[in-house]
Amino acid sequence: MEKVKTVAVNIAAIALISLVLIWGNTLYRQHAQFKKGEQAAATGNFTAAVAGYEAAIHMYTPWSSVVEKSAQKLWAIGDAAERSNDIPRALIAYRALRSSFLATAGIYSPGEDWIKRCDTRIAQLVQLQPAQR
């Protein structure tokens, strides 16, 4: 019976260590992608900025402030594009934000408020686009 307890404890320890390592790796990559988004935004590279922030959200870890910062940055990019009447870029930013949170959904669905905000804004902007031929 003692051997069964030892095996069970070892399995639990290995599982816990594995989860911590996966979480730590994901958190590290999340920060790295956010940094890439920040660097791209600083140089005015729209595509790379959106990709960096979007990837940071895709690497969702609970209670990470980087996810919220990335969402705010994508929203700001979309808002700035919208104010400069660049509807296609605004739609890209809002859709990237929306799809990032949808991609992280599982047992728990983070970012539901962002998804609703994006849905509303996307619907408004689609109406402003000229008819596609």
Side-chain angles (χ1 to χ4, degrees), residues 2-96:
E2 188 64 33
K3 187 173 183 176
V4 172
K5 287 181 183 177
T6 303
V7 170
V9 168
N10 286 338
I11 290 173
I14 290 169
L16 180 63
I17 290 169
S18 296
L19 285 174
V20 168
L21 289 173
I22 291 169
W23 178 82
N25 182 299
T26 303
L27 189 62
Y28 169 77
R29 292 182 334 171
Q30 182 186 76
H31 282 268
Q33 290 300 319
F34 180 78
K35 185 177 178 182
K36 287 181 183 180
E38 290 284 88
Q39 291 169 340
T43 61
N45 186 339
F46 172 83
T47 306
V50 169
Y53 297 133
E54 183 178 21
I57 297 171
H58 278 258
M59 294 174 203
Y60 180 82
T61 51
W63 308 290
S64 173
S65 63
V66 174
V67 171
E68 186 63 24
K69 288 178 190 174
S70 295
Q72 290 169 353
K73 296 286 187 171
L74 279 172
W75 185 265
I77 290 171
D79 190 52
E82 190 178 348
R83 281 186 275 116
S84 66
N85 207 28
D86 191 346
I87 304 303
R89 281 190 174 203
L91 283 169
I92 289 169
Y94 294 136
R95 286 174 175 157

